[in-house]
């Protein structure tokens, strides 16, 4: 394997020699018990209990042999890691459901229930470096490390809800939920989240055009829990003169931490149109988020560097459109088309601290600023000034797309059907870290292409990168053929000849993530190898850096009814 002169690693050698032996065992079980206590023409009272468990065990044995280039360059000469983890999630729900129909024109359904959830996670990891003889054993390392993580969260909630239907036209719902969690500052305190909704069917507004219309409005509140451990100031292992000690973490606890609260008001209408050949749904919503969890930098005189606590507020406005049309139905041929479209915009409405950056303007940062988008991207740029140019940070774009849409079509002819789904995103920005690293290593595909002044275009990008951030930020609009499926309903006569006990059978061939069209330079514009959590929870949103290539998957399925 040749030595990589540009970077202290040969990726082809790493792919060939690095070992990661992984073993996963998962068990999911659910159970449900229903007891009908009262059941007659006007009254139906049921007791429902259900619960389940999701158990996941995983072990990894990783071996990085001494021959790898990055091992020799760091003088560790081999690394091996043994890891084991267990994640267990259990839940138990107890509900009482009462359906009451006192008159033919009115019915009411009332639910009262409790919910308990427990989540535990345990992980141990040992490592050995500078392996004696290159042995694939942790004990062969002259430098050894050990790490352990244990987490447990208990959640408990109670809820009550009533739905009343009048004349099969007017539906009203009122409910409330109370939750508490061990992740909150006070694990015994309940937080209440109400909801209410109403919908009314107008019937045929204009037969043949609008055959059915329903108006709806809803209001509801939900909560987003703090993360495990944010209410504690951690004690980290340390040593003083070789003696074991505990050191106070630089992140201060938030003892009064509580859930984020989202209050959403939504309105819309649903229609059946064109002689019952299509449907149309229109929705507009306003979501106000309060008590947002933000991480703020503290003054050095406090003895801490940061604290995660409740404080900020944000508003999100959005609209959605969903339409389906049974376009063609002639003999054995039919065509159905489905379209969905959505867009939203965010704004910081309350910020108890000065505006702050998540990241650096040099490589691109999100600025949390009062009155501005929660996903605005700040980057360095140069402005003319007497005697030269000065570098200043400015807004270079927004990570949130202008809109997203999907268009699905299904064609049927006799026993054959073809379905295809196109996804479209317009707008949004992503940092192309892969392209930037290729330039920094002088290895981009167009690095040596000359400019009008005779300089290499890659050299120009490298020298201006620290001053002009948006060189490597790109519009990540795309059009994707998300899915295509071809199905054949096998004739019943042939099915019964193959298996007398069968009634129907279908053969399906499908593919996902098949093709995409984009001006984004690099791989998949949807790639986000640092996660896709909402700002400000993740500073690394809209960043693509050497993401694993997007995969295409193909499925051949035979389904039989018997």
């Amino acid at each position: 394997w040749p030595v990589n002169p540009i970077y202290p690693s040969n990726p082809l050698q790493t792919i060939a020699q690095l070992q990661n032996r992984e073993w996963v065992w998962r068990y999911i079980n659910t159970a449900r018990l229903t007891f009908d206590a009262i059941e007659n023409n006007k009254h139906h009272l049921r007791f429902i209990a259900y619960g389940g468990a999701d158990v996941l065990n995983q072990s990894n044995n990783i071996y990085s042999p001494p021959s790898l280039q990055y091992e020799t360059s760091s003088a560790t000469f081999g690394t091996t890691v043994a890891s084991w983890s267990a994640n267990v999630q259990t839940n138990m729900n107890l509900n009482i459901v009462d359906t009451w129909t006192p008159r033919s024109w009115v019915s009411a359904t009332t639910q009262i229930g409790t919910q308990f959830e427990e989540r535990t996670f345990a992980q141990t990891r040992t490592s050995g470096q500078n392996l004696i003889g290159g042995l694939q054993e942790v004990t062969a390392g002259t430098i050894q490390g050990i790490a352990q993580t244990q987490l447990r969260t208990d959640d408990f909630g109670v809820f009550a809800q009533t739905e009343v239907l009048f004349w099969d036209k007017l539906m009203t719902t009122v409910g409330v939920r109370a939750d508490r969690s061990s992740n909150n500052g006070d694990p015994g305190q309940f937080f209440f989240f109400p909801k209410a909704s109403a919908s009314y069917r107008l019937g045929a507004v204009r037969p043949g055009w609008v055959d059915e219309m329903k108006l709806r409005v809803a209001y509801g509140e939900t909560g987003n829990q703090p993360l495990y451990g944010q209410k504690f100031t951690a004690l980290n292992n340390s040593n003083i003169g070789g003696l074991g000690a505990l050191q106070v973490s630089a992140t201060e606890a938030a003892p009064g931490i509580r859930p984020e609260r989202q209050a959403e008001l939504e309105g819309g209408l649903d229609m059946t149109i064109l002689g019952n050949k299509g449907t149309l749904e229109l929705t507009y919503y306003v979501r106000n988020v309060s008590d947002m969890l933000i991480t703020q930098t503290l003054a050095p005189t406090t003895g801490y560097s940061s604290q995660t606590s409740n404080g900020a507020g944000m508003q999100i406005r959005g609209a959605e459109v969903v339409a389906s049309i049974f376009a063609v139905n002639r003999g054995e041929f039919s065509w159905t088309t489905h379209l969905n479209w959505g867009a939203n915009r965010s704004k910081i409405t309350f910020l108890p601290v000065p505006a702050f950056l998540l990241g650096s303007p040099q490589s691109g940062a999100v600025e949390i600023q009062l009155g501005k988008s929660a996903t605005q991207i700040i980057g360095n740029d140069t402005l003319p000034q007497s005697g030269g140019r000065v570098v200043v940070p400015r807004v270079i774009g927004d990570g949130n797309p202008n809109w997203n849409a999907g268009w699905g079509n299904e064609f049927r002819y006799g026993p054959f059907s073809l379905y295809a789904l196109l996804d479209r995103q317009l707008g949004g920005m992503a940092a192309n870290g892969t392209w930037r690293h290729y330039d920094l290593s002088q290895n981009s595909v167009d690095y040596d292409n000359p400019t009008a002044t005779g300089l290499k275009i890659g050299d120009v990008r490298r020298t201006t990168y620290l001053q002009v951030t948006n060189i490597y930020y790109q519009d990540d609009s795309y059009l994707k053929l998300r899915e295509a499926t071809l199905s054949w309903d096998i004739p019943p006569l042939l099915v019964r000849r193959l298996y007398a006990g069968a009634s129907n059978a279908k053969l399906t061939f499908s593919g996902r993530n098949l093709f995409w069209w984009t001006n984004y330079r690099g791989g998949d514009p949807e790639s986000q190898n640092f996660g896709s959590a909402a700002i400000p929870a993740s500073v690394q949103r809209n960043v693509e850096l050497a993401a694993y290539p997007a995969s295409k998957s193909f499925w051949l399925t035979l389904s039989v009814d018997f």
Side-chain angles (χ1 to χ4, degrees):
W1 299 97
V3 173
N4 186 348
I6 299 174
Y7 198 76
S9 174
N10 184 330
L12 299 179
Q13 181 193 26
T14 302
I15 292 172
Q17 296 185 356
L18 183 71
Q19 298 179 17
N20 180 12
R21 304 187 186 279
E22 183 175 280
W23 177 84
V24 175
W25 184 86
R26 189 173 187 179
Y27 173 74
I28 301 176
N29 182 48
T30 60
R32 179 185 177 96
L33 177 65
T34 302
F35 173 63
D36 294 309
I38 302 175
E39 187 173 9
N40 53 47
N41 293 333
K42 294 185 177 181
H43 206 67
H44 187 190
L45 179 64
R46 289 173 294 165
F47 293 86
I48 304 174
Y50 60 92
D54 184 349
V55 182
L56 173 67
N57 290 330
Q58 178 175 326
S59 65
N60 291 77
N61 288 282
I62 301 173
Y63 176 56
S64 176
S67 57
L68 290 175
Q69 181 180 336
Y70 64 82
E71 293 283 357
T72 57
S73 62
S74 61
T76 55
F77 301 102
T79 303
T80 185
V81 179
S83 173
W84 178 87
S85 61
N87 189 68
V88 181
Q89 301 185 55
T90 58
N91 72 293
M92 174 61 71
N93 297 55
L94 300 174
N95 298 333
I96 300 175
V97 181
D98 179 69
T99 302
W100 181 44
T101 310
R103 297 288 187 273
S104 60
W105 53 271
V106 61
S107 64
T109 301
T110 301
Q111 300 182 55
I112 301 175
T114 65
Q115 181 178 12
F116 174 76
E117 295 181 354
E118 181 183 89
R119 303 187 300 274
T120 61
F121 175 77
Q123 183 182 66
T124 58
R125 180 181 295 122
T126 57
S127 64
Q129 292 180 286
N130 196 31
L131 303 176
I132 299 175
L135 294 177
Q136 190 177 345
E137 299 291 338
V138 172
T139 54
T142 61
I143 305 172
Q144 297 183 4
I146 185 170
Q148 184 179 22
T149 301
Q150 289 185 320
L151 311 176
R152 174 176 170 173
T153 300
D154 291 336
D155 301 326
F156 179 76
V158 295
F159 65 90
Q161 173 180 298
T162 297
E163 297 179 353
V164 184
L165 177 63
F166 301 93
W167 305 288
D168 285 332
K169 288 182 175 293
L170 175 63
M171 169 72 81
T172 60
T173 302
V174 177
V176 65
R177 182 182 179 93
D179 289 299
R180 68 185 185 189
S181 172
S182 59
N183 284 354
N184 297 331
D186 182 355
Q189 180 181 356
F190 280 97
F191 293 87
F192 292 85
F193 304 97
K195 71 173 183 178
S197 64
S199 63
Y200 185 75
R201 293 174 54 227
L202 297 175
V205 178
R206 187 177 180 184
W209 290 95
V210 180
D211 305 286
E212 178 82 19
M213 179 182 289
K214 181 174 71 175
L215 303 178
R216 49 184 166 80
V217 62
Y219 174 83
E221 297 184 10
T222 61
N224 184 34
Q225 290 183 6
L227 298 180
Y228 178 89
Q230 288 180 333
K231 67 177 182 178
F232 297 117
T233 299
L235 295 176
N236 300 323
N237 292 333
S238 181
N239 70 81
I240 301 176
L243 299 177
L246 294 174
Q247 182 180 16
V248 177
S249 171
T251 301
E252 185 183 16
I257 199 167
R258 56 192 180 275
E260 293 180 342
R261 182 177 293 268
Q262 299 185 28
E264 182 171 323
L265 178 64
E266 175 186 299
L269 58 89
D270 304 334
M271 293 184 290
T272 303
I273 57 177
L274 303 178
N276 295 315
K277 291 183 178 180
T279 60
L280 179 64
E281 301 176 15
L282 305 176
T283 302
Y284 182 79
Y285 62 88
V286 179
R287 182 184 307 142
N288 289 297
V289 185
S290 58
D291 285 339
M292 282 184 62
L293 296 167
I294 60 172
T295 301
Q296 56 181 318
T297 301
L298 302 178
T301 53
T302 64
Y304 299 96
S305 62
S306 63
Q307 182 190 54
T308 299
S309 60
N310 302 93
M314 179 173 66
Q315 185 180 84
I316 302 173
R317 295 177 178 268
E320 298 174 353
V321 179
V322 179
S324 295
I325 300 293
F326 193 47
V328 178
N329 184 20
R330 295 181 179 177
E332 291 189 294
F333 178 74
S334 64
W335 169 34
T336 304
T337 185
H338 178 86
L339 176 68
N340 63 277
W341 176 92
N344 65 73
R345 301 291 183 268
S346 66
K347 181 175 69 173
I348 300 297
T349 56
F350 178 70
L351 193 64
V353 297
F356 59 92
L357 295 176
L358 298 172
S360 167
Q362 173 183 322
S363 57
V366 171
E367 183 175 27
I368 304 302
Q369 182 181 6
L370 185 64
K372 301 295 183 180
S373 168
T375 51
Q376 65 174 348
I377 299 174
I378 306 295
N380 283 341
D381 198 0
T382 59
L383 295 178
Q385 196 180 58
S386 59
R389 300 182 70 86
V390 61
V391 177
V392 296
R394 69 173 183 87
V395 178
I396 62 174
D398 200 294
N400 189 49
N402 297 335
W403 51 263
N404 292 91
W407 185 29
N409 290 273
E410 183 177 11
F411 304 90
R412 293 192 63 90
Y413 183 77
F416 298 97
S417 65
L418 175 64
Y419 173 78
L421 175 62
L422 290 170
D423 275 350
R424 172 74 165 127
Q425 174 176 300
L426 181 66
M429 292 190 75
N432 195 326
T434 304
W435 181 21
R436 173 167 57 91
H437 275 61
Y438 271 121
D439 270 358
L440 295 177
S441 300
Q442 306 178 44
N443 200 32
S444 296
V445 65
D446 62 344
Y447 191 92
D448 295 329
N449 291 353
T451 63
T453 59
L455 299 175
K456 294 181 179 180
I457 191 172
D459 284 337
V460 174
R461 290 195 298 256
R462 286 187 67 199
T463 55
T464 58
Y465 157 57
L466 298 180
Q467 296 180 329
V468 184
T469 303
N470 60 354
I471 289 177
Y472 297 108
Y473 265 88
Q474 294 184 273
D475 184 325
D476 58 356
S477 301
Y478 63 83
L479 175 65
K480 278 196 171 187
L481 179 57
R482 181 74 65 184
E483 180 180 351
T485 301
L486 179 63
S487 299
W488 175 42
D489 294 325
I490 303 174
L493 182 60
L494 178 58
V495 173
R496 287 191 290 270
R497 284 181 179 178
L498 297 176
Y499 176 46
S503 57
N504 297 290
K506 176 183 287 189
L507 187 64
T508 304
F509 179 68
S510 62
R512 288 190 58 84
N513 206 32
L514 298 177
F515 300 100
W516 59 85
W517 300 265
T518 179
N519 291 326
Y520 181 81
R521 175 171 177 166
D524 189 346
E526 287 187 298
S527 295
Q528 293 190 22
N529 44 328
F530 292 102
S532 58
I535 293 296
S538 173
V539 64
Q540 297 289 3
R541 184 182 170 96
N542 302 104
V543 176
E544 181 267 326
L545 175 59
Y548 198 83
S551 62
K552 300 178 182 180
S553 58
F554 298 92
W555 302 81
L556 181 63
T557 306
L558 174 64
S559 58
V560 181
D561 297 334
F562 58 90

